[in-house]
């Protein structure tokens, strides 16, 4: 189980009722998704991070968000290929004429 509050993200093991990890992100997390049983993906207004359950390290920045997926874009999905070589970040935003 993962919980977030503004910039703080925590991962818990419900079976053992223990907190596994905690980290303060550099900016608020706007979208997150488990990409596998052992990896949490987190999207901020400017970048995408992966945080593996293994080890004690902080989340790893994978890439910056493209300008077309700027801070006014609502992120609605994130996918990673089976070999973890490709990532897809999807979002929606209003165009010049509205929705």
């Amino acid at each position: 189980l993962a919980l977030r509050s503004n910039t703080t993200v925590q991962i818990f093991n419900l079976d053992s009722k223990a907190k596994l990890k905690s980290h303060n992100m550099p900016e608020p997390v706007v979208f997150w998704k488990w990409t596998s049983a052992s990896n949490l993906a987190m999207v901020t207004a400017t970048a995408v991070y992966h945080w593996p359950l293994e080890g004690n390290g902080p989340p790893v920045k994978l890439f910056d968000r493209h300008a077309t997926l700027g801070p006014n874009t609502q992120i609605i999905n994130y996918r990673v290929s089976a070999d973890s070589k490709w990532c897809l970040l999807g979002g929606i935003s209003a165009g010049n004429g509205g929705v």
Side-chain angles (χ1 to χ4, degrees):
L1 172 72
L3 300 174
R4 71 177 164 97
S5 176
N6 197 20
T7 59
T8 302
V9 180
Q10 298 176 329
I11 298 177
F12 294 88
N13 181 327
L14 292 180
D15 293 332
S16 65
K17 298 178 182 171
K19 180 169 61 172
L20 302 177
K21 293 183 167 198
S22 181
H23 184 75
N24 288 321
M25 296 295 290
E27 57 186 329
V29 174
V30 298
F31 182 86
W32 60 351
K33 181 176 182 176
W34 288 98
T35 59
S36 70
S38 62
N39 186 68
L40 180 64
M42 298 175 287
V43 181
T44 68
T46 61
V48 175
Y49 297 82
H50 279 193
W51 198 16
L53 284 178
E54 300 88 30
N56 294 322
V60 176
K61 181 178 175 180
L62 285 191
F63 59 91
D64 290 321
R65 283 175 58 169
H66 190 271
T68 59
L69 292 172
N72 294 327
T73 301
Q74 179 186 356
I75 301 302
I76 59 172
N77 199 6
Y78 180 70
R79 303 286 284 232
V80 177
S81 65
D83 61 4
S84 297
K85 291 184 178 182
W86 293 93
C87 302
L88 173 70
L89 182 63
I92 57 174
S93 63
N96 291 338
V99 178

